[in-house]
Every structure is written in C-alpha cells, then in structure tokens.
Amino acid sequence: MAPIDGFWGQVTSTIDWCEENYVVSWYIAEFWNTISNFIMIFAPMWMMYISKKEKHEIHLACSFISVTVVGIGSWLFHMTLRYSMQLMDELPMIWGSIFLIYASYTVDNKPNYVCRPLLILLVFYSAIVTLVYIVVEDPVFHEAAYALMVFTIVVLGVRILFKFECSKGLFIVAFVTYGLGFFLWNIDNHYCHHLRTIRSHSIGQVSGPLFQFHAWWHIFAGMGTYFSLLFQ
C-alpha cells in the first residue's frame, strides 16, 4: 500500500497492514486495527485485579500483565505505523510468551516454586530473538520465533489436558478462538486486494469494518489468549 501521511507522518514501520491508512481519522493510521486492541488491554487488567484479590501466584499475574502490554504496544503501532512503536508491539509478544509458557509448564509445581533452568532458557531464547530481529528487521523471522512459542504453549496445554482434571471445554474454546484469529490474519495478508475492493464498495456502511480481518485477529487472538490463561 502506498504510504499516506497523517498526523504521525511518513510510515517507518517494516510492515504496513491491509487497512487503508488515515481513512477514518487523521490522528490514527489504522483505525480499526488500533481500537480492536481493547480486548487485549482491558480484559487482562480485570484479571490482574482478580489475581491480586485472590492472591494468585505471581507468574499468573505477570501473564495477564504481559497481554495488556502487548495490547498497548499493538495500539501504539497501528495508530502511528512508526518503527519504534512496531517494536513495542512485536517484542512484548516474545517476552510476554515467557510467562505463558512458564505458567503452563509449572502448573503442577508447589506454590511459589521457581524453576530457574526454565526461566534462564526462556530469557535466553527471547534475548537472542530480540537481538537478531533488531539486526535483520525481518518480520518473517519474528513471526516464526513467535509461532514456535505459541506451538509450545499449545503442546503444554494438551499436556495439562491429559494429565490433570481441568476444563476441556475452556481449552477447546481458547484453541478454536485463537485459531480463527490466525486464519483471518492469513486471509488479510494473502487476499488484501480483494478485501480492499470489498471495503471500497462499503464506504459509509456497517459492512466495511466487518472485512478488517487484521482487527478481528486482534479480537480473537486476544480472547484466545485470555481463555488459555483462565484454563491454566
């Protein structure tokens, strides 16, 4: 998509998503991709309050905090399309996944037990991914590194499913919801031209935002992540 200047100036991010820039607001580059992050910001904030009130283990509270941080970073990225804000979106996805993996792996450990080898491994992995990504600036590398962590979370979730008495329905809802978001993310990437054509014939109509599939990815991925944390 040809860059369009708005309040935040020239696009400097390495990715410019399918949503047309500065169409809804001169102050927000990708309006629908921005406001759709509300689900990743406010739902985990509520669970942070519940975690504190019920005195859950610290790594669970950190998991909810990490989702909120990702949501805020994504909000800033899509609002500005600046490279610095892009890093605030993408790098927290890597570092935040540490808490989800750790919580899933140590679900059967004693309360407040710290598995230092796992923490060191996860921090080392995230640090390497961060350094390499900053150097190569290749979104595909980031996507692959993040996908590996998501795959690990799913595998650990299946392990919990078979090893402990838990809510299988909640796990299925989390998996399907996140999977639906990922499916829409791919449609948005590979069929952008067709989606923009559909939206161009929906100016001023309610149907336009319905085809902002990257925004729907935020909503479904946020819900899937939230449900997976409740499952743990």
Side-chain angles (χ1 to χ4, degrees), residues 5 11 15 17 30 37 40 43 51 65 92 108 114 117 145 157 175 187 190 197 200 207 209 220-221 229:
D5 289 345
V11 173
I15 306 175
W17 300 101
E30 296 176 346
N37 286 289
M40 284 193 288
S51 292
I65 292 173
D108 56 340
V114 178
F175 182 80
I187 296 296
H190 293 96
T197 299
S200 68
S207 57
F220 286 118
L229 286 172

Side-chain angles (χ1 to χ4, degrees), residues 145-162:
Y146 176 66
L148 179 59
M149 301 187 84
V150 171
F151 176 76
T152 303
I153 293 170
V154 172
V155 170
L156 292 174
V158 173
R159 168 180 170 266
I160 294 173
L161 206 60
F162 285 98

Side-chain angles (χ1 to χ4, degrees), residues 32-87:
W32 300 108
N33 287 352
T34 298
I35 66 170
S36 58
N37 286 289
F38 75 93
I39 192 70
M40 284 193 288
I41 297 175
F42 295 108
M45 287 178 66
W46 169 250
M47 285 308 302
M48 277 186 260
Y49 168 75
I50 298 298
S51 292
K52 182 178 180 181
K53 183 179 180 180
E54 297 185 0
K55 298 180 180 180
H56 294 162
E57 292 187 69
I58 186 64
H59 61 259
L60 185 58
C62 288
S63 296
F64 288 113
I65 292 173
S66 69
V67 177
T68 295
V69 171
V70 171
I72 294 173
S74 182
W75 182 292
L76 295 173
F77 169 37
H78 291 287
M79 183 174 69
T80 65
L81 290 180
R82 307 293 295 178
Y83 177 66
S84 57
M85 297 298 105
Q86 179 182 349
L87 293 180

Side-chain angles (χ1 to χ4, degrees), residues 49-134:
Y49 168 75
I50 298 298
S51 292
K52 182 178 180 181
K53 183 179 180 180
E54 297 185 0
K55 298 180 180 180
H56 294 162
E57 292 187 69
I58 186 64
H59 61 259
L60 185 58
C62 288
S63 296
F64 288 113
I65 292 173
S66 69
V67 177
T68 295
V69 171
V70 171
I72 294 173
S74 182
W75 182 292
L76 295 173
F77 169 37
H78 291 287
M79 183 174 69
T80 65
L81 290 180
R82 307 293 295 178
Y83 177 66
S84 57
M85 297 298 105
Q86 179 182 349
L87 293 180
M88 288 186 64
D89 171 25
E90 294 175 331
L91 293 181
M93 293 170 65
I94 300 296
W95 288 92
S97 296
I98 287 179
F99 299 105
L100 278 71
I101 293 174
Y102 184 86
S104 298
Y105 185 82
T106 60
V107 68
D108 56 340
N109 288 347
K110 295 180 180 179
N112 299 316
Y113 170 80
V114 178
C115 183
R116 289 185 176 81
L118 178 60
L119 277 178
I120 293 172
L121 176 63
L122 292 172
V123 170
F124 178 77
Y125 175 85
S126 299
I128 293 298
V129 170
T130 299
L131 292 174
V132 173
Y133 184 51
I134 290 175

Side-chain angles (χ1 to χ4, degrees), residues 194-205 207-208:
H194 300 286
L195 292 173
R196 280 193 277 161
T197 299
I198 294 172
R199 293 198 296 261
S200 68
H201 293 89
S202 305
I203 300 299
Q205 300 180 17
S207 57

Side-chain angles (χ1 to χ4, degrees), residues 36-37 39-41 43-44 67 70-71 74 93 100 146 150 173-185 213-229:
S36 58
N37 286 289
I39 192 70
M40 284 193 288
I41 297 175
V67 177
V70 171
S74 182
M93 293 170 65
L100 278 71
Y146 176 66
V150 171
V173 169
F175 182 80
V176 171
T177 304
Y178 194 96
L180 176 59
F182 180 66
F183 172 75
L184 295 176
W185 179 83
F213 284 179
H214 191 89
W216 285 109
W217 147 253
H218 287 159
I219 294 172
F220 286 118
M223 291 173 58
T225 303
Y226 176 74
F227 289 140
S228 70
L229 286 172

